[in-house]
Amino acid sequence: MTTQFKPRVFSGIQPSGGLTLGNYLGALKRFAEQQGQVETVYCLVDLHAVTVWQEPQALLRQTRELAAGFIASGVDPEQSILFVQSHVPAHAELGWLMSCVARMGWMNRMTQFKDKAGKNAEKVSLGLYAYPALMAADILAYHGTHVPVGEDQKQHVELTRDIAAKFNHDYQVDFFPMPEPVIEGAATRVMSLRDGTKKMSKSDPSDASRINLTDDADTISQKIRKARTDADPLPGSAEGLKDRPEAKNLVNIYAALTGEKPDAICARFEGQGFGAFKPALADAAVAHLEPITRRMTELTADPAAIDRILRRGAERANAIAAPIVEETRRIMGMIPTR
Ligand code: AQP
């Protein structure tokens, strides 16, 4: 008989830099929308962030800023469990156990590792390579069933399913659920403003490539005005954006911000150049992001209050994850601690 797992949403974001519009549309906005429908567990994954060098003071600041970004985007720390990964030992422990289940061949296929390591694969940390096994543990430590992510993380959630299935098969149990990646909406992959073939990323060396959630109205407008586009006017329907990555990206961002369909946006701006479209996009971005930025500034002014929220979240997270890890150890044949 297969176990019916209680639906539980789990997702995380790395405090590896300031939040971008990509993180907001691909993750935060959707995290807030999931609340109330099912139990929601959201994690600031600092153990993932340190797989590449993080200057300690910057990591501290970025983690608090990320917590403020979650809350300002509508994640309610009462309704959701909001916490820092390194505060809950279950992550590191289950990460090790899951890295003993994952196979080298599976890990070698992970495209994010190849992208991040580039030609430097011999010099990057072992942690960067093992990252997907830790991510699997993050999800499985809560018996997470639904994982809202952007396109870039789909492969890692699929690997989590492979690890869960192998564990269940090897130990003849039905202990871990098969988590589903939830990839929905117009902005599952927001692209760089400088290169429509690269995703918008908080660690891109070019600040002009992204909109940060801390950018003020003038900076947002300027970045959108300077965003790379082609010379053609907007087509009458979204179909006409095929093979025009930069144009498609700007229309998709507008759609995700306003809730209007890309087809309707194209029909409204048909025949007009980006000189007409960009100011409308800048207005929509500023109107949407301004209250979030303001709230983030208020919240980060009181770091002690943020730390209290995160510690309380860690207690709630630990209450779910610790018994799941204890049971994992028992299944594997380790002497119970109690
Ligand atoms: N450009 C994007 N479009 C849509 N979704 C995105 N996400 C990230 N970038 C985009 C989603 O945000 C969540 C958190 O991502 P993460 O911080 O854990 O790592 P990442 O995917 O590697 O994000 P970044 O911004 O590119 O960070 P760095 O530069 O440190 O690697 C995920 O759900 C992700 O899909």
Side-chain angles (χ1 to χ4, degrees):
M1 204 183 91
T2 29
T3 310
Q4 282 300 314
F5 291 94
K6 183 174 139 197
R8 184 180 279 147
V9 166
F10 178 92
S11 199
I13 299 190
Q14 299 183 73
S16 48
L19 285 164
T20 70
L21 182 66
N23 297 133
Y24 174 70
L25 294 174
L28 288 169
K29 183 168 180 285
R30 295 166 53 224
F31 293 172
E33 288 162 2
Q34 301 281 330
Q35 293 178 125
Q37 303 177 36
V38 282
E39 193 178 358
T40 42
V41 183
Y42 297 128
C43 185
L44 285 65
V45 289
D46 54 353
L47 298 176
H48 286 282
V50 295
T51 56
V52 298
W53 168 250
Q54 302 293 334
E55 201 279 308
Q57 284 307 316
L59 181 64
L60 199 59
R61 191 187 63 248
Q62 285 158 198
T63 309
R64 291 188 178 124
E65 193 179 290
L66 175 57
F70 266 92
I71 299 167
S73 303
V75 172
D76 173 359
E78 291 300 319
Q79 214 175 354
S80 294
I81 299 178
L82 181 66
F83 71 102
V84 182
Q85 188 183 27
S86 60
H87 289 184
V88 178
H91 292 261
E93 186 177 355
L94 195 62
W96 176 259
L97 299 179
M98 294 302 104
S99 72
C100 297
V101 177
R103 304 290 93 181
M104 291 288 282
W106 301 352
M107 307 296 279
N108 287 340
R109 286 197 287 275
M110 294 298 110
T111 55
Q112 180 172 292
F113 176 76
K114 290 182 198 159
D115 290 348
K116 288 200 171 177
K119 294 195 182 75
N120 245 344
E122 292 289 315
K123 295 216 172 116
V124 297
S125 72
L126 179 58
L128 188 68
Y129 185 74
Y131 180 120
L134 179 59
M135 179 164 158
D138 298 338
I139 300 165
L140 298 175
Y142 299 87
H143 278 182
T145 56
H146 295 83
V147 188
V149 281
E151 275 286 336
D152 60 318
Q153 293 295 336
K154 185 169 178 227
Q155 195 185 32
H156 289 163
V157 183
E158 283 165 353
L159 180 83
T160 302
R161 293 169 63 92
D162 291 342
I163 293 175
K166 180 163 167 54
F167 182 94
N168 288 349
H169 177 266
D170 288 354
Y171 293 99
Q172 294 292 296
V173 288
D174 192 15
F175 183 59
F176 287 125
M178 296 296 125
E180 294 281 346
V182 183
I183 301 170
E184 296 165 344
T188 54
R189 193 166 167 80
V190 178
M191 308 310 280
S192 157
L193 298 178
R194 307 304 305 162
D195 177 351
T197 62
K198 253 174 71 184
K199 88 165 180 154
M200 184 181 285
S201 179
K202 50 175 119 69
S203 56
D204 191 313
S206 161
D207 189 60
S209 70
R210 61 178 165 264
I211 292 173
N212 304 300
L213 290 197
T214 48
D215 284 344
D216 62 23
D218 284 349
T219 310
I220 294 175
S221 301
Q222 208 178 57
K223 284 181 178 174
I224 291 176
R225 203 169 52 243
K226 289 193 181 152
R228 200 169 133 185
T229 41
D230 53 45
D232 293 340
L234 271 101
S237 74
E239 178 64 23
L241 294 168
K242 211 167 139 262
D243 305 322
R244 295 178 64 188
E246 281 89 11
K248 185 174 174 186
N249 186 37
L250 295 187
V251 170
N252 281 347
I253 292 175
Y254 189 97
L257 287 168
T258 60
E260 200 176 341
K261 293 266 177 285
D263 270 333
I265 298 163
C266 288
R268 193 149 56 82
F269 285 92
E270 182 174 8
Q272 298 185 53
F274 278 86
F277 180 71
K278 283 178 172 177
L281 174 59
D283 287 349
V286 169
H288 199 97
L289 299 181
E290 210 249 4
I292 296 173
T293 307
R294 196 170 352 105
R295 184 81 185 109
M296 276 178 76
T297 310
E298 285 164 13
L299 287 161
T300 45
D302 190 352
I306 291 183
D307 294 358
R308 276 196 299 277
I309 290 171
L310 294 173
R311 289 190 190 117
R312 169 79 191 111
E315 283 171 22
R316 293 168 66 199
N318 197 49
I320 302 174
I324 290 177
V325 176
E326 175 81 32
E327 182 59 11
T328 310
R329 278 196 251 107
R330 195 198 60 74
I331 292 169
M332 295 176 83
M334 296 171 185
I335 295 177
T337 57
R338 281 187 291 266

